[in-house]
Amino acid sequence: MTNLEGAPEEASDVRGRVAELHAIREQVRRGPSERATEAQKAKGKLTARERIDLLLDEGSFNEVEPLRRHRATGFGLEEKRPYTDGVITGWGTVHGRTVFVYAHDFRIFGGALGEAHATKIHKIMDMAIAAGAPLVSLNDGAGARIQEGVSALAGYGGIFQRNTRASGVIPQISVMLGPCAGGAAYSPALTDFVFMVRETSQMFITGPDVVQAVTGEKVTQNGLGGADVHAETSGVCHFAYDDEESCLEEVRYLLSMLPQNNRENPPVVESEDPADRRGEALLDLVPADGNRPYDMRKVIEEIVDDGDYLEIHERWATNIIVALARLDGQVVGVIANQPQSLAGVLDIEASEKSARFIQMCDAFNIPLITLLDVPGFLPGVDQEHGGIIRHGAKMLYAYCNATVPRISVILRKAYGGAYIVMDSQSIGADLTYAWPTNEIAVMGAEGAANVIFRRQIAGADDPEAMRARMVKEYKSELMHPYYAAERGLVDDVIDPVETRTVLIRSLAMLRTKHADLPSRKHGNPPQ
């Protein structure tokens, strides 16, 4: 009888403990207070959990260590020990595929990083690396938790180390949804992609007050490190959006184009765009006159599946385009000169932009398609003194080091060192095609004629007529569309309308490409 009477009492105790657990979980879910939530909303920002819900598939989030609390004492910390310690960590799915995430909760200690906070991030990063799945950080934090001293700084060191270990192994995406100052800004800089939201997110090493105190320059937070500054001027930010909802939706879209890790290929989708679709519009998009500009984006739209592509660094180094797209359902990386901006020349920023993109594609098994219309490197004292030699070499190094399938198409101009650097056959392109409008040469005909026939032009009765004659002669001898093909420098001269079909067939052949690099610890790329 006693046992029978005792059983309900024990069950009641279990139910009580379960009720207590649910109460704690509800407290964790709600966050620190309604007042803190209202303050977050007043800044036009979502809460950390709302952001996670937008990022991940509905109902897929699994939280890790939601009950974690700090153990620090002093400065009143022992009296304030909220659950999660200001960061929410876990995993879920995006389009059905596993993704790990951590999100700073600005309502708790301003999202500042303390020892327990950092330990949670370290754990989820280790899990992402071990599982071979992408990691997304939703950043909205005020830097290191000053009250915890150097322990907080050491936590950043652990994050940086893991960012570096994961580099080229799993995709890493940083989404800036609030302030990110000081050393905290280096973690996003180590990741593959950085997203920012205008007005609410900023990144800088030293804030406006310090800048004014040291240099006397007055600047706002957004003027120093806002989304537009980093999207257009510094190149730190790859994507900038007006609101968090559209930003997180684009993160989901980017993840749909990336593999889970470096051992897998990007996801393939069924394409309704015919592989043999002819691009008749290409005949009118690209003028035969090499001095006339056009929009390379329209060429890309005509070639890729459904005209759909994701441009990266759209507003920085606009003289070159880098984008992810699909050809017959397969993800490809596109690098293309943009004749509408600086005539499509290569400069310091274009070289850096391309090099990083090429390395990312190579790391994650994404084939490279290069569309050339390049008149050369940008001349000038600023470029030379700024190190165009070493910066241009970054792009060259990235192409030469890439082992993924590489196909280049020369649309029009391909002059000098810029032609060689942009994945020419001589640096290892698997296949090189050219349109019949191509001009592959050491330099433009006018410049070449002025060098080669300088004396004849100077000694002629009519120098301008002689120059025109020599330019025409140089073009007919060395710059006709089939000169490079006759010497095996391009694999074929193709009809522009067949470009899409040729690329898709070539990629299908190269899908099983295998290339071995020399045994080494790592290379020493130009800096």
Side-chain angles (χ1 to χ4, degrees), residues 457-474:
I457 293 171
D461 294 335
D462 186 346
E464 287 306 314
M466 176 61 76
R467 180 181 287 107
R469 182 179 143 203
M470 292 298 101
V471 167
K472 185 177 180 181
E473 182 179 326
Y474 183 83

Side-chain angles (χ1 to χ4, degrees), residues 151 164 302 310 384 507 513:
S151 295
T164 304
E302 187 64 27
L310 178 62
E384 296 296 343
L507 285 169
K513 175 187 174 181

Side-chain angles (χ1 to χ4, degrees), residues 16-36:
R17 294 294 178 88
V18 170
E20 180 185 29
L21 170 63
H22 285 302
I24 292 173
R25 282 185 169 177
E26 179 59 21
Q27 182 183 341
V28 171
R29 189 193 64 78
R30 287 198 312 268
S33 67
E34 285 298 321
R35 183 178 176 184

Side-chain angles (χ1 to χ4, degrees), residues 270-300:
E270 193 76 25
S271 176
E272 296 182 0
D273 194 348
D276 59 354
R277 171 174 58 78
R278 291 168 62 83
E280 300 289 347
L282 293 172
L283 297 173
D284 300 314
L285 284 176
V286 181
D289 181 357
N291 294 319
R292 286 180 57 195
Y294 61 94
D295 190 354
M296 183 64 84
R297 290 188 180 93
K298 293 182 179 178
V299 175
I300 297 171

Side-chain angles (χ1 to χ4, degrees), residues 265 330 365 367 403-407 430-431 504-516:
N265 291 323
Q330 306 278 344
N365 308 311
T403 60
V404 292
R406 293 156 50 189
I407 305 171
D430 296 297
L431 289 166
I504 288 173
R505 289 176 178 175
S506 299
L507 285 169
M509 180 275 293
L510 289 167
R511 200 158 293 143
T512 54
K513 175 187 174 181
H514 177 74
D516 289 318

Side-chain angles (χ1 to χ4, degrees), residues 471-525:
V471 167
K472 185 177 180 181
E473 182 179 326
Y474 183 83
K475 280 186 174 181
S476 64
E477 289 292 326
L478 297 177
M479 290 184 65
H480 64 79
Y482 306 100
Y483 182 86
E486 290 169 3
R487 284 152 183 79
L489 298 176
V490 299
D491 292 290
D492 198 5
V493 179
I494 63 173
D495 183 340
V497 303
E498 298 174 351
T499 303
R500 171 178 166 82
T501 302
V502 168
L503 288 175
I504 288 173
R505 289 176 178 175
S506 299
L507 285 169
M509 180 275 293
L510 289 167
R511 200 158 293 143
T512 54
K513 175 187 174 181
H514 177 74
D516 289 318
L517 291 174
S519 177
R520 59 182 174 183
K521 187 175 182 181
H522 57 73
N524 186 22

